[in-house]
Amino acid sequence: IHGSCMCMVIKEVIVVRTDLDMGQGKIAAQVGHACVLCAEHVRKSNPEWFSEWWIGQEKVVLKVANLKELEQLKQDAIELDVPWSEVTDAGHTQLAPGTTTCISIGPAPEENIDKITGDLKLL
């Protein structure tokens, strides 16, 4: 809750794999892809959440150790009906084509996202 406003907090969380040894620029590009993909998805599927999120565009970038952990987060998002998008690399630079690098969860209510990512550490 923000001040006297009864609006819900909407945020977007991007979760990046750390086992791929991506450079900082590569990570930044992958996170950018994830932000745009999921924001556009939510803009179309839940315009109320998008409008609330757009004001401040809260984003948090977290990490997981491997693809298995990333896949579990995706499953949790599906089970809780929280929007998500997955980024797979085109393979032009550091990674093999089709490598899943990160996922974005939300923009969605913070309480829903925290059920999925609340135990993860910041990247």
Side-chain angles (χ1 to χ4, degrees):
I1 299 176
H2 292 273
S4 61
C5 174
M6 293 301 292
C7 13
M8 66 181 95
V9 175
I10 304 292
K11 74 178 180 183
E12 182 177 26
V13 170
I14 300 88
V15 184
V16 179
R17 288 175 58 187
T18 59
D19 61 324
L20 297 174
D21 294 323
M22 293 182 282
Q24 290 179 337
K26 183 69 169 179
I27 291 171
Q30 298 300 297
V31 167
H33 291 320
C35 289
V36 172
L37 284 169
C38 218
E40 180 63 9
H41 170 66
V42 172
R43 186 183 68 79
K44 293 175 181 174
S45 65
N46 198 320
E48 300 83 19
W49 288 356
F50 181 84
S51 295
E52 184 67 32
W53 173 79
W54 187 252
I55 297 165
Q57 298 182 31
E58 182 179 349
K59 295 172 211 67
V60 180
V61 182
L62 305 173
K63 63 183 175 180
V64 291
N66 54 47
L67 181 60
K68 182 179 178 186
E69 291 182 20
L70 201 66
E71 293 289 340
Q72 183 58 58
L73 295 174
K74 183 168 73 172
Q75 275 307 123
D76 293 346
I78 291 167
E79 288 171 16
L80 292 172
D81 199 27
V82 176
W84 61 275
S85 291
E86 184 175 79
V87 177
T88 54
D89 195 66
H92 298 303
T93 56
Q94 299 176 17
L95 303 171
T99 302
T100 301
T101 58
C102 60
I103 62 170
S104 178
I105 302 172
E110 183 173 52
E111 62 186 25
N112 297 357
I113 291 180
D114 287 350
K115 290 176 187 173
I116 302 166
T117 63
D119 294 334
L120 299 178
K121 303 267 189 250
L122 292 170
L123 178 65

